[in-house]
Amino acid sequence: MKALAERWKPIVLLLCLLLMALALTTFKTRLAPHTSLFERMGLSVVMPLQQAIARLAQGLSGLWNGYINLVHVRQENVRLQRQVEALQGQLTHYQEAYVQQQRLRELLGFRALAFPQAVVAEVVGIDPSPWSEVVTINKGSRDSLRKDIPVATHQGLVGRTIEMAPHYATVLLLTDRRSAVDALIQRTRARGIVVGKTRRLCELRYVDLHADIQVGDTVVASGLGEVYPKGLLIGTVAAVHQKPQGLFHEVEVQPAVDLAQLEEVLVLVP
């Protein structure tokens, strides 16, 4: 700002001198109604210059005011942008809290209806190994948990606890190849064993070749083995492969719970 003022200082001084000369000339003209030839020639030169200087001064004034307004607008834009960023951060936080509250409400409603002693836990770790499907939850033996307790959500079965610490527990997911759940086809009561196959699929083994089983059938826990409660939803039949030779169907089961997106679970304490 100071450098700009120093740059315009000589021009402003020249404008002031020209205006003073014009004022003196005009004053003299008013006192003497008859002007000489020299004075008329001076007026003919000064008057256009005065008009040009007036227009220039007006333009410079508008330009200066526009510059000042532009600076204020830019400062206001920066302030508003920072305010918008802060509000967006708060909105994201509130949206996440709302989504979590909805999930917890569904979990607690499911617990109240079916498993009053169930413990709500949060998933705090995921095993990155491609050979195992396990997660870690933030509840353990201090919360009355022990090994081989089923873990679920309001959508269906997740797996079972396999390792225990005072404040943490390891959960073996349905999709792990070490997992095995005695199950039923809900529609026809055909029985089989659900075992892990891939990260997003299970397999229903040992289903009699003559059993009636169709894509879309619901698969539930049979209750045998005294680990998984009878009737707890496991998933739906995704595919049925029939071999000309063999004793059993090859059945793929899509788990009811998206095990890759687990955040909160219920540990179904007996």
Side-chain angles (χ1 to χ4, degrees):
M1 296 293 291
K2 186 175 180 181
L4 184 62
E6 291 294 335
R7 184 185 303 174
W8 287 98
K9 187 174 180 180
I11 298 176
V12 173
L13 183 60
L14 176 61
L15 292 176
C16 291
L17 292 175
L18 289 174
L19 290 175
M20 289 177 62
L22 181 61
L24 291 174
T25 304
T26 304
F27 178 73
K28 184 177 180 180
T29 302
R30 289 179 178 176
L31 292 180
H34 301 286
T35 58
S36 64
L37 177 62
F38 177 76
E39 291 173 341
R40 289 196 297 271
M41 292 177 60
L43 288 174
S44 64
V45 173
V46 170
M47 290 303 292
L49 181 60
Q50 179 190 15
Q51 295 176 357
I53 292 173
R55 288 194 296 268
L56 178 61
Q58 185 177 4
L60 291 175
S61 176
L63 180 63
W64 178 257
N65 291 333
Y67 173 75
I68 295 298
N69 291 334
L70 182 60
V71 170
H72 290 318
V73 168
R74 287 178 178 174
Q75 293 175 347
E76 183 67 12
N77 283 341
V78 171
R79 186 185 68 82
L80 291 176
Q81 182 65 30
R82 291 176 179 173
Q83 185 176 3
V84 167
E85 291 174 354
L87 292 175
Q88 286 178 339
Q90 293 179 3
L91 179 60
T92 301
H93 175 74
Y94 293 145
Q95 286 176 336
E96 182 64 21
Y98 174 77
V99 171
Q100 185 181 35
Q101 182 188 34
Q102 294 298 107
R103 292 197 307 266
L104 290 174
R105 180 178 297 178
E106 292 171 342
L107 280 176
L108 293 175
F110 178 68
R111 181 180 71 173
L113 289 174
F115 303 97
Q117 301 302 320
V119 175
V120 179
E122 184 179 354
V123 175
V124 294
I126 299 175
D127 189 348
S129 171
W131 297 282
S132 65
E133 293 284 312
V134 297
V135 297
T136 303
I137 58 176
N138 63 347
K139 296 294 174 68
S141 58
R142 292 280 183 89
D143 304 285
S144 302
L145 304 189
R146 56 179 175 78
K147 291 178 63 175
D148 292 328
I149 296 180
V151 179
T153 72
H154 64 285
Q155 296 173 323
L157 185 61
V158 169
R160 61 182 172 90
T161 57
I162 57 172
E163 295 179 1
M164 200 63 52
H167 300 287
Y168 298 95
T170 301
V171 178
L172 184 72
L173 301 180
L174 280 174
T175 49
D176 192 288
R177 295 181 182 274
R178 296 169 291 173
S179 174
V181 183
D182 197 279
L184 294 171
I185 301 298
Q186 192 175 54
R187 182 175 60 86
T188 63
R189 317 309 290 176
R191 178 173 273 111
I193 304 294
V194 173
V195 297
K197 184 176 182 180
T198 66
R199 282 191 173 271
R200 293 186 178 273
L201 278 178
C202 295
E203 183 180 1
L204 182 61
R205 295 180 180 175
Y206 312 119
V207 180
D208 189 271
L209 190 62
H210 303 288
D212 179 14
I213 182 170
Q214 300 175 9
V215 173
D217 279 345
T218 300
V219 182
V220 298
S222 69
L224 297 181
E226 299 182 353
V227 175
Y228 302 99
K230 184 176 182 178
L232 190 60
L233 179 62
I234 295 175
T236 56
V237 174
V240 180
H241 304 289
Q242 296 181 349
K243 288 186 175 180
Q245 296 179 353
L247 300 176
F248 307 107
H249 286 294
E250 290 186 358
V251 182
E252 292 182 352
V253 176
Q254 178 68 52
V257 181
D258 187 353
L259 302 177
Q261 303 293 330
L262 286 177
E263 295 187 59
E264 296 90 16
V265 296
L266 284 176
V267 185
L268 308 182
V269 178

